[in-house]
Amino acid sequence: MHSYDVTAESTAPPEAIWALLRNPRSWPEWSRIDALDTGRSRDLSPDGQDGVGATRAYRTGKVVTRERITDLVLEPELRFSYEGVEIPQMADYHATIELRELPGGGTRIHWHGTYVARGRMRRVFQWYLRRFMQAMATGLAGHAAGLATPPASGPAGAGTVPEPD
């Protein structure tokens, strides 16, 4: 069993990041994922706020992976968990993204997972996956911060996220 554990910080509030995680169509906007494959996905929510059981298929290059949401927790902090349904390079994949509000505003994103690597390239894959997942967390943090807009009368840096189209 192998694992990765990455973190990133964003000036965006936890709720803004949560909305991006639940909306599978946003993932290609902030990550290295090329596209959501709706034909291979199941139980996607029309409002972009997928629930437990939704299976998302993502294409990165020529590889398509399928992942199922297994847990959505709102208290005491936001937690988004998923498992691999079909991932060519991995077996027994389980991941969790925890969002914790930072003192003074913003969010710490803690993204961690466990898996069994397949094939001859296990060591290279471990190195690659950790870097890939760090880029995912960093991309999510930056994208959410870019979407946040300060309210007209509020302090600089405080913000809300516009509703998805």
Side-chain angles (χ1 to χ4, degrees), residues 27-114:
W27 287 51
E29 296 173 6
W30 50 263
S31 73
R32 293 181 175 180
I33 292 170
D34 294 331
L36 172 69
D37 184 336
T38 56
R40 293 183 179 177
S41 297
R42 299 286 176 263
D43 301 321
L44 298 180
S45 176
D47 68 356
Q49 296 298 294
D50 289 347
V52 172
T55 299
R56 299 151 160 206
Y58 292 110
R59 183 182 51 75
T60 304
K62 294 180 181 181
V63 176
V64 175
T65 61
R66 294 180 64 223
E67 301 166 342
R68 179 183 307 114
I69 298 173
T70 58
D71 199 17
L72 299 171
V73 177
L74 300 174
E75 298 287 335
E77 59 191 34
L78 299 170
R79 186 174 66 228
F80 180 102
S81 297
Y82 62 97
E83 65 185 2
V85 173
E86 182 181 332
I87 303 176
Q89 303 88 350
M90 291 189 281
D92 201 24
Y93 177 50
H94 301 274
T96 298
I97 306 160
E98 297 163 329
L99 307 178
R100 179 171 296 172
E101 188 167 6
L102 294 169
T107 305
R108 173 168 288 123
I109 301 166
H110 180 210
W111 198 323
H112 52 100
T114 60

Side-chain angles (χ1 to χ4, degrees), residues 2-3 7 10 14 17 33 39 42 49 84 92 94 105 119 129-130 156 158:
H2 302 287
S3 65
T7 60
S10 178
I17 295 169
I33 292 170
R42 299 286 176 263
Q49 296 298 294
D92 201 24
H94 301 274
L129 186 61
R130 186 177 189 306

